Amino acid sequence: QVQLVESGGGLVQPGGSLRLSCTSSDNIFSLGTMGWYRQAPGKQREVVASLNIAGAADYAASVSGRFAISTDNAANTMFLQMNSLKAEDTAVYYCNGVTRRARWGPGTQVTVSS
């Protein structure tokens, strides 16, 4: 069973940046296409970015141009670089496969506030 652990969240002012990390106990693409998800209070979990093994990335319209997804395959780690953060980006962020999923990790809290 693949285990995923997210880290890198925190409190940041609007306009700031954060870099999230997702470390897998297996090859980072063992679940296939990987994604970053977020869940804000009272809202459903949504995928904000995905990356397939060929390197093709896809982004939700709300984060396109501000977020960038990448991997360090040798370290079994996936990243989410988040720039120009907005209050509406506040959420718990998770990583997981897009079509095949492992058990959800603990997530990492991102709070954008002045």
Side-chain angles (χ1 to χ4, degrees), residues 55-113:
D58 194 23
Y59 299 93
S62 59
V63 307
S64 182
R66 300 188 297 121
F67 290 11
I69 189 171
S70 63
T71 60
D72 179 344
N73 295 349
N76 295 336
T77 301
M78 181 171 69
F79 304 101
L80 186 68
Q81 177 67 42
M82 306 188 296
N83 300 323
S84 302
L85 283 161
K86 305 175 181 180
E88 51 263 45
D89 295 318
T90 294
V92 180
Y93 284 72
Y94 304 86
C95 61
N96 214 324
V98 172
T99 54
R100 287 185 291 134
R101 292 190 187 144
R103 182 173 297 179
W104 290 98
T108 187
Q109 174 71 48
V110 172
T111 302
V112 185
S113 175

Side-chain angles (χ1 to χ4, degrees), residues 2-85:
V2 175
Q3 293 183 322
L4 303 165
V5 179
E6 303 87 356
S7 63
L11 172 64
V12 63
Q13 292 186 342
S17 298
L18 281 174
R19 189 193 197 201
L20 306 184
S21 298
C22 164
T23 301
S24 173
S25 61
D26 200 345
N27 182 288
I28 191 62
F29 288 109
S30 64
L31 296 171
T33 297
M34 289 294 291
W36 278 100
Y37 300 75
R38 68 185 181 188
Q39 187 167 21
K43 295 187 177 182
Q44 287 191 332
R45 191 171 297 175
E46 61 173 350
V47 60
V48 296
S50 63
L51 184 68
N52 69 17
I53 197 169
D58 194 23
Y59 299 93
S62 59
V63 307
S64 182
R66 300 188 297 121
F67 290 11
I69 189 171
S70 63
T71 60
D72 179 344
N73 295 349
N76 295 336
T77 301
M78 181 171 69
F79 304 101
L80 186 68
Q81 177 67 42
M82 306 188 296
N83 300 323
S84 302
L85 283 161

